[in-house]
């Protein structure tokens, strides 16, 4: 599909020019297919096939253990829709997505603007903003487990030294998800920052200069010149971020195991719990397909929304 | 290499030949591509089959366990001990990360019928494996030939090694949830008996009072307990205290769970009283509690005996240990047991099976080494040896094995299982003061009921 897109895109202007067409087609079906083949094989084996297999499994009572799966129709889906744990973990996933995406996009933009505006010692800022992203999830979680430690952690030490009450960062049901989101922002904002920074650096300076000559101040230029030009990057960053946040699992699994009292358990952890510690592959597949449907709906809505904006 | 073959390409060459038309090239490409993929697919599993035997010799015994760190090194020592001599074993040991994933891997390898010869399993997990045919039974006559029989184990432990009257596990140890204390601090707090050991408690008030005295003696906290975000700790403590009330906790298939709600509320209420956040902090996580105890910021810690090596290394001068104090009607401690099992093999080789039995028998006879880490040897002849009695503080809690209480048997219960995690969530809320004891117990009953209503995937 990706290989035919450029041909299709450029076809109308060249429709009358016959000679280039055959050459392009031959190069696509010959060399191109050869290059794409290994990818297609792996894509088929490790993505398409499992997706199909998972759909089939969701209609059976497949288990990780011995017995042969039996077809149960939509029973797993019926169970999933009536399962309060599905709804609560789905709710947690949505809450996490909402509270993590906004700062992850806004802060990345602010950080990129700061660095791009010619802050002294640019490389230090670039490194500082991006460095956490390079750490593995286990390291990040370990660091933050100590920061959030109720007794000797930095967070509560700071609060108590300011005369405030200590906070149950990971033990208070109303706080834990925010703690997870803070960790996630610190850890991953660097990637969005980098996307914004590279977009900023590739913007033509002429518009900005022209606006400056016309007497527009810095804020005016930011709002009316820079930000509109960054719209495509914002769309990209926001879409990638929403999808990334929806599939949150690892930092929560290591940090809180979904606690306290299930308040941070995301849907993917529930799928993991049901499938791998509960062995119920059929039911776990059904729950993941419910989630899959949600992700598709979110993606389509987002796409529509941004198209309208554009 | 001459250039001749290049001029006339062999039929199976990749890519279109320069003289071929694009269409033929493509078709040929896909045909060979498909053939290649098929070859890859069929060769893959076969190669996977052959490689382990090739790498470690056909006679080596494949063993899976979950012992890392100090325990892992002790297991190495024990394996080295049984590997010496003419009839020593060639052991191909695989160490896997402990936790839910270990049990998933074990189940999958057994479901595939090509599991290791011997594996280690927590006894509390047996009910999730034996009924589904994921384990093969032990041949007791064969074990007796190698000197291991039923009378070598405490009855409570031996009973849990069975499913439907058949023995599926041979216990290596019993590892209870106990208390460690600083003897100097406990002395200052007046909690030691004349022989210098922790005096019996006998009542909830006595333990509350002990907490106060210890807090006074340390100037910080009395009793430490790390439970925040932990998936087992609160449950271990709850079940020990609940069993002390004499009430039973059973999980019959299909539900509802049989729980004495009144006794459970009594226990959770007491836990809340004990960890009130003043004399005994109620908000510690596992590592925080460990660190606080090693820093001297608490006189006693409720923890597993497996932390003994860590505490020893920390330099606490006078470390004491005791079974979990009896404060209700009868003594009981939460415990589990690392046991050897024979994961199911579709077509076991009789000679290898025999070796597996001999290996298990020989290794549990080495459990004095194992006891040095704090574990209580399940094999009674080792417990009876004078060398074990000399181990301090290990021998001071050996009695815990006789009053050991394991998770109620069901496929989802046991170490590293979903059930413990689900029980810990409401308990954590209660200890943190976010919910009442009654509400926490109601949620525990509800959670247990939800799990029981799920179809049993292993039966």
């Amino acid at each position: 599909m990706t290989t035919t897109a450029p041909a299709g895109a450029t076809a109308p202007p060249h429709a009358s020019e016959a000679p280039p067409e055959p050459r392009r087609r031959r190069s696509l079906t010959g060399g191109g297919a050869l290059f794409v083949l290994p990818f297609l094989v792996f894509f088929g084996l490790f993505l398409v096939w499992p997706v199909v297999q998972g759909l089939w499994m969701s209609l059976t009572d497949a288990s990780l253990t011995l017995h042969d799966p039996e077809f149960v129709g939509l029973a797993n889906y019926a169970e999933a829709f009536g399962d309060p744990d599905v709804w609560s973990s789905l709710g947690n996933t949505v809450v996490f997505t909402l509270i993590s995406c906004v700062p992850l996009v806004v802060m990345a933009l602010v950080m990129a603007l700061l660095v791009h505006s010619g802050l002294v010692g640019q490389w230090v800022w670039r490194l500082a903003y991006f460095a956490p992203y390079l750490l593995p999830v286990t390291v990040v979680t370990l660091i933050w487990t100590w920061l959030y430690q109720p007794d000797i952690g930095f967070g509560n030490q700071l609060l108590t030294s300011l005369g405030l009450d200590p906070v149950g960062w990971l033990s208070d049901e109303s706080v834990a998800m925010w703690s997870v989101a803070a960790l996630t922002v610190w850890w991953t904002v660097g990637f969005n920052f980098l996307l914004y920074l590279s977009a900023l650096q590739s913007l033509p300076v002429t518009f900005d200069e022209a606006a400056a000559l016309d007497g527009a101040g810095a804020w005016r230029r930011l709002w009316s010149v820079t930000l509109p030009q960054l719209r495509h990057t914002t769309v990209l960053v926001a879409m990638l971020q929403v999808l990334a946040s929806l599939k949150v699992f690892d930092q929560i699994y290591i940090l809180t195991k979904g606690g306290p009292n299930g308040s941070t358990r995301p849907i993917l952890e529930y799928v993991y719990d049901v499938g791998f510690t509960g062995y119920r592959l059929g039911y776990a597949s059904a729950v993941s397909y419910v989630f899959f449907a949600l992700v598709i709906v979110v993606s389509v809505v987002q796409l529509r929304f941004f198209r309208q904006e554009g | 290499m001459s250039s001749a073959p290049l001029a006339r390409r062999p039929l199976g060459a990749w890519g279109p030949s320069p003289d071929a038309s694009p269409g033929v090239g493509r078709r040929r490409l896909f045909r060979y591509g498909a053939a290649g993929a098929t070859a890859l697919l069929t060769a893959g599993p076969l190669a996977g089959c052959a490689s382990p035997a090739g790498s470690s010799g056909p006679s080596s015994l494949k063993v899976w366990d979950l012992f890392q760190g100090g325990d892992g090194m002790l297991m190495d020592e024990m394996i080295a001990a049984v590997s010496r001599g003419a009839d020593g074993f060639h052991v191909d040991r695989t160490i896997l990360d402990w936790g839910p994933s270990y049990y998933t891997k074990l189940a999958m390898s057994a479901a595939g019928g090509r599991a290791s010869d011997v594996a280690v399993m927590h006894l509390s997990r047996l009910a999730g494996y034996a009924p589904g045919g994921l384990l093969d039974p032990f041949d007791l006559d064969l074990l007796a030939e190698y000197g291991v029989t039923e009378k070598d184990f405490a009855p409570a432990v031996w009973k849990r090694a069975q499913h439907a009257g058949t023995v599926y596990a041979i216990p290596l140890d019993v590892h209870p949830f106990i208390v460690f204390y600083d003897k100097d601090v406990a002395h200052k707090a007046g909690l030691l008996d004349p022989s210098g050991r922790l005096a019996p408690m006998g009542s909830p008030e006595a333990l509350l009072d002990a907490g106060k005295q210890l807090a006074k003696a340390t100037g910080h906290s009395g009793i430490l307990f790390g439970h925040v975000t932990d998936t087992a700790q609160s449950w271990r403590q709850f079940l020990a205290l609940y069993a002390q009330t004499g009430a039973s906790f059973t999980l019959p298939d299909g539900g509802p769970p049989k729980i004495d709600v009144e006794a459970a509320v009594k226990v959770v209420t007491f836990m809340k009283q004990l960890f009130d956040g003043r004399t005994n902090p109620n908000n510690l996580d596992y590592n925080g509690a460990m660190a606080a105890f090693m820093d001297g910021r608490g006189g006693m810690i409720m923890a597993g005996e497996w932390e003994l090596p860590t505490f020893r290394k920390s330099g606490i001068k006078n470390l004491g240990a005791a079974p979990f104090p009896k404060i209700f009607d009868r003594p009981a401690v939460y415990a589990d047991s690392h046991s050897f099992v024979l994961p199911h093999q579709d077509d076991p080789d009789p000679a290898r099976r025999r070796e597996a039995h001999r290996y298990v028998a020989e290794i549990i006879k080495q459990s004095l080494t194992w006891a040095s880490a704090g574990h209580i040897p399940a094999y009674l002849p080792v417990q009876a040896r004078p060398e074990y009695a000399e181990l301090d503080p290990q021998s001071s809690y050996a009695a815990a094995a006789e009053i050991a209480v394991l998770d109620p048997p069901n496929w989802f219960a046991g170490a590293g299982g979903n059930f413990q995690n689900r029980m810990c969530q409401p308990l954590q809320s209660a200890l943190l003061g976010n919910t009442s004891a009654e509400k926490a117990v109601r949620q525990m009953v509800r959670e247990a009921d939800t799990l029981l209503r799920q179809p049993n995937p292993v039966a």
Side-chain angles (χ1 to χ4, degrees):
Chain A
M1 268 176 75
T2 48
T3 52
T4 56
T10 53
H14 298 287
S16 55
E17 299 169 32
E21 272 298 293
R23 197 185 300 146
R24 178 165 286 149
R25 185 174 294 156
R26 198 173 72 178
S27 72
L28 282 175
T29 52
L34 186 67
F35 278 113
V36 173
L37 187 72
F39 166 76
L40 283 182
V41 168
F42 278 87
F43 182 76
L45 272 179
F46 295 110
L47 201 90
V48 178
W49 176 241
V51 165
V52 174
Q53 176 85 0
L55 185 61
W56 162 248
M57 228 182 235
S58 73
L59 303 172
T60 69
D61 65 349
S63 142
L64 253 185
T65 51
L66 280 177
H67 78 105
D68 295 322
E70 273 173 38
F71 184 77
V72 294
L74 294 175
N76 286 329
Y77 287 91
E79 187 183 338
F81 282 110
D83 183 346
D85 286 334
V86 168
W87 294 111
S88 72
S89 53
L90 210 53
N92 291 339
T93 305
V94 171
V95 166
F96 174 80
T97 305
L98 291 176
I99 66 175
S100 66
C101 282
V102 175
L104 275 167
V105 176
V106 175
M107 282 177 64
L109 176 63
V110 172
M111 284 154 65
L113 286 169
L114 280 176
V115 169
H116 190 62
S117 68
L119 220 60
V120 193
Q122 275 223 22
W123 70 271
V124 180
W125 298 106
R126 255 185 258 182
L127 179 72
Y129 288 155
F130 188 66
Y133 186 73
L134 299 172
L135 295 175
V137 61
T138 37
V139 174
V140 172
T141 318
L142 203 65
I143 295 170
W144 284 78
T145 307
W146 285 108
L147 291 178
Y148 286 146
Q149 227 284 328
D151 195 26
I152 50 176
F154 175 76
N156 280 350
Q157 294 281 342
L158 189 72
L159 289 179
T160 46
S161 72
L162 294 173
L164 299 168
D165 282 337
V167 169
W169 300 103
L170 299 177
S171 55
D172 188 329
E173 287 172 37
S174 56
V175 176
M177 193 56 106
W178 293 93
S179 303
V180 172
L183 172 157
T184 310
V185 170
W186 178 82
W187 178 33
T188 60
V189 74
F191 182 71
N192 294 348
F193 155 75
L194 215 60
L195 289 179
Y196 267 124
L197 189 64
S198 68
L200 275 172
Q201 285 172 345
S202 64
L203 289 184
V205 288
T206 44
F207 295 127
D208 204 52
E209 282 172 359
L213 282 177
D214 286 345
W219 281 109
R220 186 73 199 167
R221 294 205 304 276
L222 175 68
W223 280 111
S224 305
V225 179
T226 311
L227 290 185
Q229 288 187 90
L230 284 175
R231 202 186 58 235
H232 287 295
T233 310
T234 303
V235 169
L236 176 78
V237 168
M239 287 207 60
L240 288 178
Q241 193 52 57
V242 167
L243 291 180
S245 287
L246 280 174
K247 66 186 176 69
V248 63
F249 171 72
D250 24 12
Q251 64 266 45
I252 291 181
Y253 189 70
I254 307 173
L255 195 67
T256 65
K257 301 275 191 309
N261 216 357
S263 62
T264 60
R265 179 171 61 181
I267 183 83
L268 286 186
E269 189 187 329
Y270 188 57
V271 169
Y272 175 84
D273 282 347
V274 169
F276 288 96
T277 58
Y279 310 142
R280 295 185 65 204
L281 290 184
Y283 184 56
S285 303
V287 176
S288 43
Y289 263 90
V290 171
F291 179 55
F292 187 41
L294 175 88
V295 171
I296 288 185
V297 168
V298 169
S299 308
V300 169
V301 168
Q302 242 185 332
L303 211 61
R304 283 271 161 84
F305 176 74
F306 285 126
R307 271 214 188 121
Q308 272 172 6
E309 290 277 293
Chain B
M1 286 284 253
S2 74
S3 61
L6 278 178
R8 283 183 56 209
R9 279 172 159 260
L11 208 64
W14 283 90
S17 52
D19 56 338
S21 76
V24 172
R26 182 178 55 196
R27 230 175 289 144
R28 195 192 282 171
L29 181 72
F30 285 137
R31 183 159 8 112
Y32 294 123
T38 315
L40 261 175
L41 279 176
T42 46
L46 290 177
C49 210
S51 58
S55 66
S56 48
S59 64
S60 60
L61 207 59
K62 277 191 277 175
V63 180
W64 273 22
D65 70 47
L66 35 70
F67 302 123
Q68 294 168 320
D71 276 358
M73 286 191 283
L74 287 179
M75 184 46 78
D76 270 341
E77 221 175 284
M78 289 158 72
I79 291 175
V82 299
S83 302
R84 281 184 214 118
D87 57 351
F89 299 92
H90 297 276
V91 177
D92 174 10
R93 180 181 176 207
T94 305
I95 309 167
L96 294 136
D97 197 18
W98 131 253
S101 63
Y102 174 78
Y103 286 106
T104 307
K105 285 173 195 147
L106 191 63
M108 288 175 81
S109 77
R114 291 186 291 126
S116 62
D117 297 303
V118 178
V120 166
M121 169 180 265
H122 285 86
L123 210 47
S124 61
R125 294 301 297 253
L126 197 74
Y129 289 76
L134 294 172
L135 300 178
D136 291 335
F138 274 94
D139 180 338
L140 294 185
D141 296 336
L142 207 50
L143 273 177
E145 266 181 52
Y146 301 120
V148 173
T149 59
E150 178 181 345
K151 66 172 178 24
D152 297 324
F153 298 89
V157 179
W158 187 253
K159 195 168 158 252
R160 285 297 296 259
Q162 301 174 36
H163 165 68
T166 309
V167 174
Y168 284 92
I170 301 298
L172 167 68
D173 67 25
V174 177
H175 51 273
F177 190 73
I178 62 170
V179 293
F180 288 101
Y181 57 97
D182 186 320
K183 281 188 181 170
D184 297 335
V185 174
H187 176 68
K188 214 166 133 192
L191 298 175
L192 299 186
D193 66 10
S195 69
R197 295 182 168 220
L198 193 69
M201 301 279 177
S203 73
E205 292 72 28
L207 189 56
L208 290 172
D209 191 51
K212 286 197 188 89
Q213 297 307 323
L214 287 167
K216 220 179 273 169
T218 60
H220 291 277
S221 304
I223 302 171
L224 302 167
F225 175 56
H227 69 100
V228 173
T229 70
D230 195 274
T231 55
Q233 287 278 90
S234 321
W235 168 248
R236 289 170 181 149
Q237 187 178 79
F238 168 83
L239 193 62
L241 291 170
Y242 179 84
Q244 288 192 359
T245 67
S248 71
F249 193 123
T250 48
L251 299 170
D253 276 328
K258 293 211 170 73
I259 302 169
D260 183 336
V261 172
E262 204 179 307
V265 170
K266 185 166 109 178
V267 167
V268 179
T269 307
F270 172 70
M271 285 164 72
K272 279 172 75 101
Q273 274 177 313
L274 182 60
F275 297 99
D276 60 355
R278 289 189 298 276
T279 52
N280 305 320
N282 62 345
N283 61 353
L284 296 180
D285 64 6
Y286 195 95
N287 292 323
M290 296 283 289
F293 184 65
M294 291 187 280
D295 273 1
R297 282 184 285 128
M300 181 188 281
I301 184 169
M302 296 177 162
E305 51 71 12
W306 52 88
E307 296 298 354
L308 177 64
T310 312
F311 291 144
R312 276 228 173 105
K313 260 185 270 169
S314 74
I316 300 170
K317 275 195 207 93
N318 267 318
L319 183 69
F324 199 81
K326 170 194 168 285
I327 60 160
F328 290 118
D329 305 339
R330 59 162 85 173
V333 299
Y334 173 83
D336 211 325
S337 158
H338 294 123
S339 305
F340 289 108
V341 292
L342 306 172
H344 174 69
Q345 294 183 342
D346 283 342
D347 190 17
D349 171 29
R352 279 181 88 89
R353 263 289 143 88
R354 214 181 157 76
E355 277 293 278
H357 281 75
R358 188 168 73 90
Y359 173 79
V360 170
E362 293 301 321
I363 213 114
I364 62 168
K365 289 178 194 165
Q366 298 291 328
S367 50
L368 191 64
T369 308
W370 195 238
S372 67
H375 312 304
I376 305 171
Y379 188 59
L380 295 176
V382 169
Q383 247 194 67
R385 280 164 65 175
E387 295 97 313
Y388 181 71
E390 280 167 24
L391 287 179
D392 183 60
Q394 286 92 322
S395 53
S396 56
Y397 55 80
E402 290 153 36
I403 46 171
V405 179
L406 278 72
D407 270 18
N410 204 305
W411 68 268
F412 50 75
N418 209 359
F419 174 69
Q420 290 193 347
N421 185 9
R422 285 192 171 217
M423 293 297 108
C424 282
Q425 301 294 346
L427 283 169
Q428 177 182 305
S429 278
L431 282 193
L432 288 166
N434 297 336
T435 189
S436 68
E438 290 80 10
K439 275 192 186 152
V441 169
R442 270 208 300 277
Q443 191 184 335
M444 288 167 77
V445 174
R446 217 166 39 238
E447 297 272 2
D449 195 49
T450 306
L451 285 167
L452 286 171
R453 279 176 199 285
Q454 287 178 9
N456 182 342
V458 290

